[in-house]
C-alpha cells in the first residue's frame, strides 16, 4: 500500500487539523471545509544539498515573485524530495511517523475522548449538565439492567476492554471482539479498566478535561548526522502562515494572526526563522526571522557526528464568539487557555504524557488482531472524526454550558443527526457524555411535530450558524429529492442513539427525564407506518406533512430511489425494526413492561413483513417493498448493528 | 474602450470592497489581499429566459454537485449573459452604472474623505488627537504663511475648489487646474467651499464622521417590464456567502457569518431567497430562503407593463480586535455601529444623501476638462485607494484613539511610507488629518536612528500585525536587493509629507510640536550626503548602518540598480532637492530663517551637482551619477511634484 495519503492530525473539539501525508501539500487548517494544502517542508540541509519529505508542490515561492520582480534569482541549492521508496511511514492509531535518510518526523493525535466536564457536578438541568458518564464505560452486558454491575472505571479511559471501537456487524472489527482484550495486549484483559497494574498509560485518572481540550498536538523531529563530517541543519517549515509573530521567552517558534502556530522550548541550537521559500531561507543574510514572509520555520543545527531530537507542539486558537444564529458561542478551550502561547506552552509541558498515551493506543490497535486494512481505516477515520469536532461554551457563563458538535466534513453542517448515529459507536466508547449532549440539544431545540408526532431536524445549522429552533439548514418543504425532509429517519436515529447511550452508560436519571419523550418517539414511529393501527405492517408508509406532498428522503439522499426514498424502503424498514427493539429495551429499562411488549410486537410485525418480502427468485429482499422494485441494497443490514450492539 | 474591467467599490476605512465590472466574477471581500472573484448574477427572468450581466463564470454551482450526487438534473432554463455590445457602462468618479435590456444597476462609492473626528476637540496629545484640519482646506497659496487667510470651509468638504486631486507634475491632472473650478461646474468656482448657493450637495456640514465611517454602499436595481405582457423577476445574487442568515423586520436581505451582507426595506414584491445557483433558485418549490446554500438573493417581482426600482445597501462588519503585534485594535466604525444590521439600516436611511453626494462628485469630474483616460484612471484609483484603507480605534477607549492605515494592495503591508507619499496628494484634498495621523505614528513609534541620524521604517507591519517599534515588516539588515533598508528615502518621504501637510493645513501647533524633529530630519539628510560637510555635493552617498554593509534601496526596489540603488541615484537626488526646498519652507514657516537659508543652500548644492551631471551627448542626466551609468529614468522628475505643489 502507498504511504502517499493525506491524514488530518487533529486536536479535540477545535475544528482544527494539521494535514500531513499526501505528497503535494498539507499544513494548518482552522474551521476549514477542506484539508489544508500548503507547502510543508520537513527536511535537512547539508552543504548545498537540501532533502525534504515530499509534502510540497513548489520549491520556489509564488508570492515572492510579486515583490522581487526583475530581481528574481536562481538558487544554487539543490532541493530534492525523498522518493517514496526512501521513506518508511508508520501510520498507527495515535501516532504517525515518517523516516528517511538522516531524519524522522512524528506527530501524535489524541484519540481518548474528552472526559465528561460535568463529572462530580450535580445539576438539575437535563439540558446543560450530563451527569458523570464514566460509569458503566467498558461494561458489556446482555441484561438491560446494569445498575448492580457498575465498575469504577475512569471517565477518560482509553479503549474500554471488552468493547470494540464500535461498529461491529458489517464493520471492520471482528464481531464479539474488541481492541485490547487479547493476551498480548499491553493492558490486562478484564472487565473494564479499573485494573491498572502493568498499564503503559499514566496511573491516575488520565489527562483531565482541561488537558483533553488542549488545541495542540505534540510533534518530534529527529535528525541524525552521525555519518558526516559536515554540520547539518534540520527544519520544519510551513507555508501559508499569514501575519507571523515570533514567539520568544519560554517558547521558540511562530504564531499567526490566523490562530495557528508552533513552538519548542528555547535551545542554543534551535532558531525560529522565516522566509518565502527554502532557496531564500538559505541565502545570506538569512536564515533570519522575516515575519513578512509566510513560511514559519524551526531550524536546528546538528554538529557532525551527532543526533538531535526536537520536541515541539502544533497549536490552534480562535478566541471570541465564533458561532452565530440561534447560538453565539465560544470554543470551550478558551475557558482554560488564554491564547495560543498558553496552549503551546502547556502542550510542551504535557508532551511526555501525550506521547505515552498515544503510544499505548498504538499498541492496542497493533495488538487487536485486526488486519492491516482495518487498522488503517480505523486510524484514518478516527483522526478525521476529531478534525471535525467542536466543543462550544457560552461566553461569560460561570459554569460550563457545553455544546458538542460534529461538523459534517466539507459541508460544514452542525450535528447532522443521520451521521451522529454512525459515530456514536466511537463516542460511546470514548466520551459517551457527548452523545447525551447532542441528544439533549436535539430534544430541547431541534424537535418538531408533524401530523404523525415528534421528530428531529436533520442538523442544527451550518457554517457555524445555528439554525432557528425546530429547523435544520438542510430540509426544505415541498422539495423533491435532495433537501427534502428526513423526518422518519431522524426520529429513528434519535431513538436508537438514546437507547444505545442508556444501554452503555446506565444513566438512569436521564432516562427518567426523557421517559415521556421515548413514548412520543414510539407513537411517532408507529404513525409513520400508518395513522390507522389496523393498516400497519411495521414499515414506513407515510410522508411527513413537513415535506408538503413530496417524498421524504433518507441519509442516502444523493442516490436513486432504492435508497433515497423513505416509504417502503428496506434500509428504513430494518432501521424501524431496530428502533422497535430498542424501544422495547428502553421501556423495559424504565419498568414499563406493557409498552415494552407493544414495542416487541411492533418489531415482530415489521419482521414478518420483511420476511414475507424475501424473493426466492432474486435471493434477497428487494430495496423497495412496493411489489415492483427488484434492486438489492447493502445498507439493508445496517439497521442490525443497533440490536447487535445492545445484545 | 472595453467596459470589461474590475472595479473595487469600497466604503471608507473598512478594508472592504464589492468587486464588480469584470466579466467573470466579483462580489464581497473583507480584509482580502485580492479582488473578490465569486459569481455575481444581476439580471432578470421572464418565462424560461434568464439574462444577467456577465459577472460570473459558472451558471451551475460546483458545490451543489457534492450534495446531490446522482440526482443532478439539467435545467430547462436558458441562462444567458448580456453581450458587451448590449451593455452601457457609465463609470464615473463616484457612481458606476450598467444598463442592458430591461435592467439598470448602479452602485455608489463615497469619495469625499473622512472628516476629522477630532474637529472641535482640544487635546494636548500630539499623537492621538490631530486638531481640526478642515481649516485651510481648499486654499491654495504661494506664500508659506497662511495664518491670515483661513476660510471657514467645512471639514468634510468634497473636492476643494481651486485644488486638484493631487498629483500634477507628471500626473493625469492638467497642471494648475483642479476639478470643479470650471464655469460649467455644478459648484460655483470660488475660494474654498464656503459658498453653498446652487450647490447640488446637501446644505450643512455634509455627512459627519459617523456617516463617513459607515461600512456600506448604496446600490440600485431598476427593472423595466413595460414592453411585456408577462411578469418579470429581477434579481441581485451573490455567490460565496457562507453562513447566510436572513434579515427580517426593518430589513429584507442576507448577512453572512463572514461579516458581509445586503438588504433593502421590506416591500410586498421583494423577497430574500437563496440557493446554490440560478437553475435551482428557479426550480419549484424555490425560490425560497435556503441558508445552507451560499448564493444570497434579493428577488423582485415586476408585473407586466411596470417598472420598479429597488434601493438596497451592501455592507461589511468585523467586530472585535482585528490587529495583533504591537497594537491590538478594533475598526473605528465599531464605535458607531453595533453590527451589520445597524450598518445596513443606517445605509438605507442615508441612501438619498449618499446618492446625491455621489452624483455631485460625478459631475465634478465630468466638468473637470480632463480627457476620458484621465477621468478613468482617477475614478478607478480612488476606489482602489478606499478599498485599501483601514481606520482603527483602541478597544474600550473613552475617546477615539484613531489610527489610520492604508494597506498596501496585495502585499497587505500597513502604511508603507514610500506609498503614503504618493496618496498624500489625494488625502490632503479629502482628509488631511489622516496625513498627520500617519506621520505621528511614524514619528512616535516607527522612527529609528543610524550613524547618520533619524529615519523612519518602510512600513508599520503587515497582515494586520503591527511590527515592533522601530522596525518594519519589510527591511532586513545585510540583505542585498529587495528587503534591504530604505532609510534615506523614508526620511525624505516623512519630511516632504510633513511639509506638504503643513503647507496645506497651516496646522501651526503641530509644526511647533515637531520643530525639533524637522531639524533632526535635516541633519539626517545632510549626513546621508556625507558625514563630512566639506565632502557634500547634495546627493546621496552613504548607506545606512542598519543596512549592514549592503546598498540601501529605493521604492523602486524590484527594478535594476538605475532605480533600485539609493547612492548617487538621480531619482533620489531630485527627491533630496525637493526635501531641501521643503525644509527651507518649513524653517521659514517656523521663523527659523538661518536654518531656512541653510536648507536653500543645500538645495542649491544639489541643483548644481544635478545640472553638472547633464550629459549633452545623451541629452539627459544619467540614472546613476557615478560617471559610468548612462540609463535614462522617467522618475527623475518625480521629486519635482513636491515643490510644485508647494508653489
Amino acid at each position: 500500500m502507498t504511504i502517499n495519503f493525506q491524514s488530518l492530525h487533529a486536536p479535540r473539539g477545535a475544528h482544527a487539523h494539521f494535514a500531513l501525508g499526501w505528497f503535494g501539500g498539507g499544513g494548518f487548517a482552522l474551521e476549514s471545509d477542506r484539508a489544508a494544502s500548503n507547502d510543508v517542508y520537513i527536511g535537512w540541509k547539508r552543504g548545498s544539498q537540501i532533502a525534504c519529505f515530499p509534502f510540497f508542490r513548489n520549491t520556489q515561492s509564488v508570492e515572492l515573485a510579486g515583490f522581487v520582480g526583475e530581481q528574481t534569482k536562481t538558487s544554487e541549492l539543490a532541493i530534492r524530495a525523498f522518493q517514496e521508496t526512501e521513506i518508511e511511514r508508520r501510520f498507527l492509531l495515535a501516532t504517525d511517523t515518517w523516516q528517511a535518510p538522516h531524519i524522522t518526523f512524528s506527530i501524535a493525535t489524541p484519540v481518548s475522548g474528552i472526559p465528561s466536564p460535568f463529572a462530580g457536578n450535580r445539576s438539575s438541568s437535563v439540558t446543560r449538565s450530563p451527569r458523570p458518564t464514566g460509569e458503566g464505560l467498558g461494561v458489556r452486558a446482555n441484561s438491560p439492567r446494569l445498575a448492580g454491575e457498575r465498575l469504577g472505571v475512569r471517565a477518560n479511559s482509553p479503549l474500554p476492554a471488552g468493547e470494540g471501537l464500535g461498529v461491529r456487524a458489517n464493520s471492520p472489527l471482528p464481531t464479539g471482539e474488541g481492541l485490547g482484550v487479547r493476551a498480548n495486549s499491553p493492558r490486562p484483559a478484564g472487565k473494564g479498566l479499573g485494573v491498572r497494574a502493568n498499564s503503559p498509560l499514566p496511573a491516575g485518572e488520565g489527562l483531565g478535561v482541561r488537558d483533553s481540550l488542549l488545541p495542540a498536538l505534540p510533534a518530534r523531529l529527529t535528525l541524525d548526522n552521525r555519518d558526516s563530517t559536515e554540520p547539518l541543519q534540520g527544519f520544519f517549515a510551513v507555508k501559508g502562515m499569514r501575519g507571523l509573530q515570533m514567539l520568544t521567552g519560554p517558547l521558540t517558534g511562530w504564531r499567526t494572526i490566523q490562530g495557528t502556530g508552533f513552538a519548542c522550548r528555547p535551545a542554543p541550537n534551535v532558531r525560529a526563522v522565516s522566509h518565502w521559500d527554502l532557496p531564500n531561507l538559505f541565502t545570506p543574510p538569512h536564515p533570519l526571522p522575516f515575519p513578512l514572509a509566510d513560511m514559519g520555520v524551526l531550524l536546528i543545527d546538528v554538529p557532525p557526528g551527532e543526533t538531535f531530537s526536537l520536541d515541539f507542539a502544533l497549536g490552534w486558537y480562535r478566541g471570541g464568539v465564533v458561532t452565530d444564529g440561534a447560538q453565539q458561542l465560544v470554543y470551550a478551550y478558551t475557558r482554560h487557555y488564554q491564547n495560543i502561547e498558553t496552549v503551546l506552552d502547556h502542550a510542551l509541558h504535557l508532551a511526555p504524557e501525550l506521547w505515552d498515551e498515544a503510544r499505548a493506543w498504538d499498541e492496542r490497535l497493533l495488538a487487536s488482531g485486526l488486519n492491516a486494512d482495518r487498522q488503517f481505516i480505523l486510524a484514518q477515520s478516527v483522526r478525521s472524526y476529531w478534525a471535525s469536532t467542536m466543543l462550544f461554551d457560552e461566553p461569560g457563563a460561570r459554569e460550563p454550558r457545553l455544546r458538542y458538535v460534529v461538523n459534517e466534513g466539507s459541508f460544514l453542517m452542525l450535528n447532522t443527526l443521520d451521521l451522529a448515529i454512525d459515530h456514536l459507536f466511537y463516542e460511546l466508547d470514548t466520551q459517551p457524555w457527548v452523545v447525551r449532549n447532542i441528544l439533549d440539544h436535539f430534544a430541547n431545540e431541534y424537535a418538531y411535530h408533524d401530523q404523525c408526532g415528534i421528530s428531529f431536524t436533520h442538523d442544527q445549522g451550518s457554517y457555524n450558524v445555528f439554525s432557528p429552533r425546530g429547523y435544520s439548514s438542510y430540509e426544505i418543504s415541498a422539495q423533491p429529492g435532495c433537501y427534502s425532509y428526513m423526518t422518519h429517519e431522524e426520529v429513528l436515529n434519535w431513538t436508537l442513539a438514546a437507547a444505545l447511550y442508556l444501554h452503555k452508560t446506565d444513566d438512569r436519571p436521564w432516562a427518567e427525564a426523557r421517559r415521556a419523550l421515548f413514548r412520543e418517539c414510539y407513537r411517532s414511529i408507529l404513525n409513520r407506518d400508518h395513522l390507522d393501527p389496523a393498516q400497519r405492517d411495521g414499515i414506513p408508509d407515510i410522508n411527513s406533512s413537513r415535506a408538503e406532498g413530496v417524498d421524504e428522503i433518507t441519509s442516502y439522499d444523493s442516490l436513486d430511489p432504492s435508497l433515497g426514498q423513505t416509504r417502503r424502503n428496506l434500509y428504513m424498514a430494518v432501521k424501524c425494526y431496530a428502533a422497535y427493539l430498542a424501544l422495547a429495551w428502553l421501556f423495559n429499562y424504565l419498568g414499563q413492561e406493557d409498552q415494552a411488549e407493544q414495542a416487541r410486537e411492533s418489531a415482530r410485525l415489521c419482521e414478518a413483513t420483511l420476511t414475507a418480502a424475501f424473493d426466492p427468485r432474486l435471493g434477497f429482499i428487494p430495496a423497495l417493498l412496493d411489489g415492483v422494485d427488484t434492486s438489492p441494497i447493502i445498507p439493508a443490514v445496517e439497521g442490525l448493528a443497533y440490536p447487535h450492539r445492545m445484545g
Side-chain angles (χ1 to χ4, degrees), chain A:
Chain A
M1 187 182 135
T2 180
I3 59 167
N4 178 2
F5 59 88
Q6 192 65 292
S7 298
L8 307 185
H9 306 82
R12 289 164 281 199
H15 197 197
H17 70 251
F18 190 86
L20 204 69
W22 174 61
F23 297 179
F28 287 102
L30 183 52
E31 298 200 331
S32 171
D33 64 346
R34 60 201 70 192
S37 62
N38 287 302
D39 291 327
V40 178
Y41 308 100
I42 304 171
W44 48 259
K45 174 179 181 291
R46 213 158 60 175
S48 64
Q49 299 298 309
I50 293 178
C52 309
F53 290 111
F55 307 135
F56 59 91
R57 190 185 296 270
N58 314 292
T59 52
Q60 289 206 309
S61 166
V62 179
E63 295 88 346
L64 187 66
F67 279 97
V68 299
E70 297 178 10
Q71 290 199 8
T72 307
K73 298 163 199 148
T74 48
S75 173
E76 286 162 19
L77 294 166
I79 301 177
R80 77 177 190 95
F82 297 121
Q83 298 295 308
E84 185 163 353
T85 51
E86 293 177 278
I87 307 168
E88 186 197 342
R89 179 176 184 178
R90 263 174 73 81
F91 179 70
L92 302 176
L93 182 59
T95 69
D96 200 357
T97 303
W98 294 263
Q99 189 160 5
H102 310 299
I103 188 167
T104 305
F105 181 72
S106 292
I107 187 166
T109 309
V111 294
S112 57
I114 300 165
S116 170
F118 305 106
N121 284 1
R122 288 184 198 285
S123 169
S124 59
S125 161
V126 170
T127 316
R128 302 300 185 179
S129 300
R131 51 175 271 293
T133 49
E135 296 170 10
L137 227 183
V139 180
R140 183 131 189 281
N142 292 317
S143 153
R145 297 198 176 271
L146 287 168
E149 299 182 15
R150 290 185 200 163
L151 297 174
V153 295
R154 59 202 203 186
N156 185 31
S157 84
L159 267 187
E163 267 296 348
L165 265 173
V167 189
R168 270 204 302 263
N170 194 20
S171 93
L173 281 169
T175 303
E177 205 164 78
L179 297 176
V181 289
R182 305 222 144 198
N184 60 349
S185 157
R187 182 169 298 285
K191 228 182 171 191
L193 288 166
V195 187
R196 291 208 188 89
N198 301 323
S199 163
L201 294 181
E205 292 297 86
L207 300 173
V209 175
R210 175 174 191 256
D211 291 345
S212 75
L213 296 183
L214 181 72
L217 299 176
R220 183 172 293 165
L221 180 58
T222 302
L223 298 151
D224 185 344
N225 199 26
R226 284 177 299 186
D227 69 350
S228 172
T229 53
E230 272 188 297
L232 175 148
Q233 288 182 300
F235 50 82
F236 172 83
V238 184
K239 284 278 289 179
M241 300 188 72
R242 282 283 179 96
L244 281 176
Q245 290 178 76
M246 194 160 66
L247 298 169
T248 54
L251 299 172
T252 295
W254 292 104
R255 69 181 179 95
T256 70
I257 198 167
Q258 305 153 311
T260 60
F262 55 87
C264 62
R265 294 291 182 210
N269 64 328
V270 181
R271 282 175 285 169
V273 296
S274 63
H275 213 305
W276 295 107
D277 58 26
L278 293 179
N280 281 280
L281 185 75
F282 290 114
T283 300
H286 301 275
L288 289 169
F290 179 37
L292 178 64
D294 74 339
M295 183 181 74
V297 186
L298 280 176
L299 188 68
I300 307 123
D301 288 308
V302 185
E306 296 191 11
T307 65
F308 187 81
S309 197
L310 181 73
D311 272 297
F312 62 103
L314 311 170
W316 296 261
Y317 196 91
R318 190 170 175 217
V321 170
V322 296
T323 71
D324 209 336
Q327 300 291 332
Q328 280 89 41
L329 305 173
V330 299
Y331 276 106
Y333 60 72
T334 60
R335 185 183 287 270
H336 304 284
Y337 305 97
Q338 196 187 343
N339 49 38
I340 198 168
E341 286 91 336
T342 56
V343 164
L344 291 168
D345 186 75
H346 193 61
L348 293 172
H349 171 72
L350 216 60
E353 281 168 86
L354 294 171
W355 279 110
D356 283 350
E357 191 183 62
R359 279 196 215 91
W361 283 96
D362 287 348
E363 290 302 320
R364 297 261 185 121
L365 185 60
L366 289 171
S368 66
L370 293 178
N371 68 30
D373 287 345
R374 287 175 166 181
Q375 291 199 16
F376 169 78
I377 289 169
L378 201 59
Q380 183 76 342
S381 56
V382 160
R383 283 177 176 81
S384 299
Y385 169 80
W386 288 113
S388 297
T389 58
M390 311 169 100
L391 186 62
F392 294 123
D393 198 350
E394 292 187 14
R398 269 178 66 91
E399 293 295 315
R401 297 169 75 85
L402 297 176
R403 185 178 292 255
Y404 189 76
V405 167
V406 182
N407 202 321
E408 184 179 345
S410 60
F411 300 136
L412 298 190
M413 284 184 282
L414 305 168
N415 277 337
T416 303
L417 182 50
D418 44 300
L419 302 183
I421 193 69
D422 295 334
H423 42 69
L424 142 162
F425 293 95
Y426 179 60
E427 287 163 347
L428 288 180
D429 281 342
T430 55
Q431 46 177 9
W433 71 272
V434 309
V435 176
R436 171 174 156 169
N437 186 273
I438 293 171
L439 290 172
D440 276 336
H441 288 117
F442 272 106
N444 297 341
E445 298 165 17
Y446 292 100
Y448 63 90
H449 291 80
D450 64 5
Q451 86 278 25
C452 297
I454 199 165
S455 186
F456 305 89
T457 59
H458 168 272
D459 58 71
Q460 301 179 346
S462 56
Y463 306 117
N464 284 19
V465 178
F466 284 90
S467 52
R469 293 174 80 92
Y471 288 90
S472 68
S473 67
Y474 183 92
E475 292 153 309
I476 294 277
S477 297
Q479 166 78 64
C482 272
Y483 309 125
S484 179
Y485 267 83
M486 288 191 203
T487 311
H488 199 156
E489 183 167 359
E490 303 303 9
V491 68
L492 299 177
N493 288 331
W494 194 94
T495 305
L496 288 163
L500 286 161
Y501 166 74
L502 287 171
H503 180 269
K504 179 78 187 197
T505 62
D506 188 27
D507 183 353
R508 191 160 291 274
W510 190 77
E512 292 293 348
R514 293 302 183 190
R515 185 184 283 269
L517 184 53
F518 299 141
R519 276 201 305 274
E520 268 201 273
C521 288
Y522 180 38
R523 206 175 308 126
S524 170
I525 296 168
L526 285 174
N527 284 340
R528 288 168 210 285
D529 176 355
H530 206 285
L531 289 163
D532 173 7
Q535 298 192 49
R536 288 180 188 151
D537 63 355
I539 70 168
D541 267 296
I542 308 288
N543 282 313
S544 171
S545 53
R546 274 253 186 143
E548 290 184 6
V550 304
D551 275 342
E552 276 186 43
I553 53 173
T554 76
S555 185
Y556 295 99
D557 52 7
S558 66
L559 304 177
D560 71 30
S562 72
L563 275 167
Q565 162 189 323
T566 296
R567 286 178 308 121
R568 304 204 73 72
N569 183 298
L570 175 60
Y571 155 71
M572 281 292 295
V574 178
K575 213 167 196 177
C576 283
Y577 171 71
Y580 289 133
L581 290 179
L583 284 161
W585 182 90
L586 269 174
F587 292 132
N588 177 281
Y589 178 71
L590 286 165
Q592 299 169 267
E593 197 40 55
D594 285 0
Q595 290 267 315
E597 182 47 34
Q598 282 180 39
R600 276 191 287 272
E601 184 53 42
S602 299
R604 279 192 286 269
L605 181 60
C606 181
E607 189 182 349
T609 303
L610 284 169
T611 313
F614 179 80
D615 187 329
R617 288 165 306 162
L618 295 172
F620 54 82
I621 308 173
L624 296 178
L625 308 189
D626 58 2
V628 179
D629 183 82
T630 58
S631 323
I633 50 167
I634 296 170
V637 299
E638 187 177 309
L640 299 176
Y642 312 109
H644 179 89
R645 170 75 173 222
M646 293 174 71

